[in-house]
Amino acid sequence: MTEKKMINVALPKGRLGEIVYGMMEQAGYECPEVLNPKRKLTFENEERGVRYFWVKPSDVPIYVERGAADVGVAGKDILLEYSPRVYELLDLGIGKCRMCVAGPKTFRDDESRTLKVATKFPHIARRYYESKGRDISIIKLNGSIEIAPILGLSDVIVDIVETGKTLKENGLDALETIVPISARFIANKASFQFKHDEISAMSQSLSAICQTKE
């Protein structure tokens, strides 16, 4: 009998990760210790063949790409921005939002000059505007970027929009949708080869749960 291989799972810290763990539990990969508030870093259930650890959401693809985790869950925004060398196995259909161009309600693009774009996602913004043949200047910011057009630092912003409430509170509108965003189940390329049966079984179980939620 072939020994079952342990799958290392990188969970994104926060509400999304808790939802993902709930799906994992439903799929038969429970490990109740995961939700224990103590400062332990890794949690495993040897019987279920799974080991979990919490990481910053933007770090999940790094752990998976480098093989510290076999699989993980990351937002499509992070995958598009950093283009990690991983397999994207499944759209989990959770954490839904969209990547948008947003700006003042009165904004009209003057194509005779360079467009100033403030964003936390410079690669996504650059690719989008390159596809339109638009000349832009990227202003990379890390904090709340809604203030950039208000203060004249930028003409527009490129950011994630969930409800649009924050935009409206700052006199901004979503002007264009670049791409819909949701959480994706990803796998390390080497792990997918050497732990193919285990990872495929996990992916199929999660897929079945996703279908029941539709």
Side-chain angles (χ1 to χ4, degrees):
M1 184 177 174
T2 307
E3 186 182 349
K4 192 173 187 178
K5 299 183 180 79
M6 186 77 77
I7 302 179
N8 295 302
V9 183
L11 291 174
K13 288 180 180 177
R15 177 65 183 146
L16 177 62
E18 291 172 8
I19 294 170
V20 171
Y21 172 71
M23 294 175 71
M24 290 287 193
E25 196 172 46
Q26 267 188 276
Y29 298 94
E30 70 274 9
C31 183
E33 267 192 297
V34 168
L35 300 178
N36 191 317
K38 291 182 181 177
R39 292 182 180 271
K40 191 173 176 185
L41 300 176
T42 62
F43 314 85
E44 67 178 64
N45 183 334
E46 196 170 338
E47 185 182 340
R48 297 297 181 187
V50 66
R51 181 184 297 113
Y52 294 103
F53 52 94
W54 295 104
V55 299
K56 186 178 177 182
S58 58
D59 288 343
V60 170
I62 299 171
Y63 279 85
V64 175
E65 181 180 31
R66 301 278 180 160
D70 299 308
V71 297
V73 173
K76 184 64 176 177
D77 54 318
I78 297 171
L79 301 178
L80 288 171
E81 180 62 22
Y82 298 107
S83 301
R85 294 183 298 276
V86 298
Y87 289 132
E88 189 178 312
L89 302 182
L90 182 65
D91 181 348
L92 295 175
I94 57 175
K96 288 185 176 182
C97 50
R98 54 199 172 113
M99 185 70 65
C100 290
V101 177
K105 297 175 182 179
T106 56
F107 174 75
R108 296 293 179 272
D109 190 5
D110 178 1
E111 296 193 7
S112 67
R113 64 179 184 83
T114 300
L115 184 70
K116 294 182 292 182
V117 182
T119 185
K120 302 172 190 173
F121 304 94
H123 294 105
I124 292 174
R126 187 169 286 111
R127 284 196 300 268
Y128 176 67
Y129 280 106
E130 279 178 355
S131 74
K132 300 179 70 169
R134 185 67 172 96
D135 185 32
I136 66 168
S137 172
I138 295 279
I139 302 161
K140 173 74 165 67
L141 296 176
N142 298 306
S144 298
I145 64 173
E146 291 83 8
I147 198 171
I150 296 169
L151 299 181
L153 179 64
S154 72
D155 299 308
V156 294
I157 63 175
V158 167
D159 200 13
I160 290 174
V161 174
E162 192 168 353
T163 64
K165 183 181 177 185
T166 304
L167 291 178
K168 284 185 171 59
E169 287 174 349
N170 288 283
L172 306 177
D173 269 349
L175 306 173
E176 303 168 54
T177 295
I178 297 175
V179 66
I181 302 294
S182 57
R184 310 298 168 102
F185 183 59
I186 60 175
N188 173 271
K189 290 189 171 185
S191 297
F192 192 67
Q193 179 181 350
F194 294 110
K195 300 181 181 180
H196 184 269
D197 291 348
E198 289 81 5
I199 292 174
S200 292
M202 180 178 280
S203 182
Q204 287 165 14
S205 296
L206 288 172
S207 179
I209 289 165
C210 291
Q211 288 170 17
T212 64
K213 293 179 181 295
E214 289 178 358

